[in-house]
Amino acid sequence: MEILRTIESYRELYVDLQGPIGLVPTLGGVHEGHLSLVDAAKKDCKTIVSWLFLNPKQFGPNEDLNSYPAEEKEDISLLDQRGVDILLIPKTIDIYPSDFDTVVKLGKITELLEGSRRPGHFDGVTTIVSKMFNIIQPDRAYFGEKDAQQLRVIQKMVKDLNFPVEIISCPTVRDNDGLALSSRNKYLSIVERNDALSLYQGLHNAKASFENGERNADIVRNVVIQEIKKSPLITIDYVSLSDPLSLVEISGKITPPALLSLAVHIGKTHLIDNVLLE
Ligand code: PAF
């Protein structure tokens, strides 16, 4: 794997790269979820480029930027072993020089769910993803379904702004006990991790009730809430049942497909998860 640290060095290589080019972006804290994106990219791309950048603009002032569990050496080795061809690790000063003054900002879709709890978060994501697409110029870019809203926001940005990139969504990877993989799982104590299992359990129970014919949105949301409430360490930020594209909340009767998503705090750790009801 070729490790590059400047945009210029990537540009030099880019002219000779064999397409299709698949891009797997990460903030660091690489885990099996990211590596499953590499696997997916390897299936349909000739060159796999990964991007490792802890983007400060997508973290709020009271969020975990300074403690984010990114271990560069370990991240490099995992991406290398999984078959990434080129890894770009840009410097913050190159990405955001002192006169940087642009924000790529989407509308309503970024104000809902995570956006309502983390003001400015999606502006940080869409700004860096726009820069990343312009720098890497991939044919396809791979994103995990665990970050369901991020995926929708990026799909919308690509459509609205005509980015010549195909967005490929890949299924959430879970531990054997159902916990969705997340870089932030590293923060959890053993007791907290055990409580966190109620997230998937709640989603799983709600999906089962939907599959057994329940179509009342409040009842389905409530199945998740009641399961999570059994875990004393968890504070619920939201449990949402929304249209999977607009993310607008469903009231009354569910007409599938619908996105059942949640965000919680366990101690200081912010976790999200979701399932699609089809
Ligand atoms: O999902 C992530 O890891 C980040 O939000 C991304 C897409 C790499 C942008 O910084």
Side-chain angles (χ1 to χ4, degrees), residues 18 27 34 40 43 46 60 64 72 74 102 115-116 140 156 172 178 182 191 221 234 236 239 258 265:
Q18 277 205 5
L27 287 169
H34 300 109
K43 282 196 190 123
K46 277 254 163 55
D64 55 345
E72 190 180 287
E74 202 181 313
T102 296
S116 70
R140 300 185 184 123
K156 177 128 185 58
T172 301
S182 161
V191 190
R221 271 188 287 262
I234 301 186
I236 297 176
V239 172
H265 272 85

Side-chain angles (χ1 to χ4, degrees), residues 146 174 177-180 182 185 188 192-207 223-225 227-229 231 233-239 260-266 269-275:
K146 191 190 67 92
R174 299 181 181 279
D177 53 14
L179 184 67
S182 161
N185 290 353
L188 300 172
E192 287 174 333
R193 193 191 176 289
N194 200 41
D195 267 22
L197 298 181
S198 66
L199 306 188
Y200 183 61
Q201 191 61 54
L203 293 171
H204 178 79
N205 294 353
K207 192 173 164 108
V223 172
V224 184
I225 294 169
E227 185 62 37
I228 297 178
K229 277 192 171 164
S231 303
L233 303 175
I234 301 186
T235 316
I236 297 176
D237 291 340
Y238 60 81
V239 172
L260 182 60
S261 64
L262 59 82
V264 302
H265 272 85
I266 309 186
T269 308
H270 175 66
L271 293 181
I272 55 174
D273 200 354
N274 68 83
V275 292

Side-chain angles (χ1 to χ4, degrees), residues 35-263:
L35 299 173
S36 74
L37 305 181
V38 175
D39 293 343
K42 276 167 67 180
K43 282 196 190 123
D44 48 15
C45 296
K46 277 254 163 55
T47 304
I48 315 302
V49 178
S50 189
W51 161 277
L52 179 56
F53 180 63
L54 187 55
N55 174 35
K57 287 200 189 287
Q58 67 187 80
F59 289 80
N62 299 318
E63 295 183 8
D64 55 345
L65 173 64
N66 293 326
S67 56
Y68 197 81
E71 293 284 349
E72 190 180 287
K73 249 184 153 176
E74 202 181 313
D75 291 343
I76 290 175
S77 147
L78 288 168
L79 293 167
D80 185 19
Q81 282 166 33
R82 204 57 162 247
V84 168
D85 300 302
I86 299 169
L87 172 62
L88 179 57
I89 313 178
K91 295 183 191 66
T92 309
I93 187 72
D94 291 338
I95 294 294
Y96 301 123
S98 55
D99 61 347
F100 183 82
D101 195 21
T102 296
V103 178
V104 178
K105 188 173 175 57
L106 273 69
K108 189 159 170 31
I109 196 173
T110 62
E111 289 159 17
L112 306 165
L113 307 177
E114 285 298 284
S116 70
R117 300 293 191 292
R118 306 179 65 191
H121 166 67
F122 286 114
D123 297 348
V125 171
T126 44
T127 301
I128 194 64
V129 171
S130 303
K131 283 183 69 95
M132 183 176 77
F133 285 170
N134 285 333
I135 293 167
I136 305 291
Q137 302 194 27
D139 298 291
R140 300 185 184 123
Y142 295 76
F143 293 89
E145 286 166 5
K146 191 190 67 92
D147 293 297
Q149 187 175 11
Q150 170 173 280
L151 178 62
R152 302 294 177 270
V153 166
I154 292 170
Q155 283 167 334
K156 177 128 185 58
M157 179 185 81
V158 162
K159 180 168 178 282
D160 286 359
L161 299 182
N162 305 92
F163 276 98
V165 183
E166 190 185 349
I167 302 300
I168 312 286
S169 64
C170 299
T172 301
V173 180
R174 299 181 181 279
D175 273 333
N176 289 340
D177 53 14
L179 184 67
L181 296 193
S182 161
S183 307
R184 292 189 167 99
N185 290 353
K186 283 194 182 159
Y187 298 142
L188 300 172
S189 67
I190 293 173
V191 190
E192 287 174 333
R193 193 191 176 289
N194 200 41
D195 267 22
L197 298 181
S198 66
L199 306 188
Y200 183 61
Q201 191 61 54
L203 293 171
H204 178 79
N205 294 353
K207 192 173 164 108
S209 101
F210 169 79
E211 282 168 356
N212 286 329
E214 183 57 66
R215 288 294 180 272
N216 181 301
D218 284 337
I219 294 180
V220 171
R221 271 188 287 262
N222 208 32
V223 172
V224 184
I225 294 169
Q226 292 316 318
E227 185 62 37
I228 297 178
K229 277 192 171 164
K230 291 181 194 161
S231 303
L233 303 175
I234 301 186
T235 316
I236 297 176
D237 291 340
Y238 60 81
V239 172
S240 155
L241 188 57
S242 68
D243 176 272
L245 292 180
S246 67
L247 304 183
V248 170
E249 211 59 30
I250 297 170
S251 58
K253 187 169 180 274
I254 306 168
T255 323
L259 178 70
L260 182 60
S261 64
L262 59 82

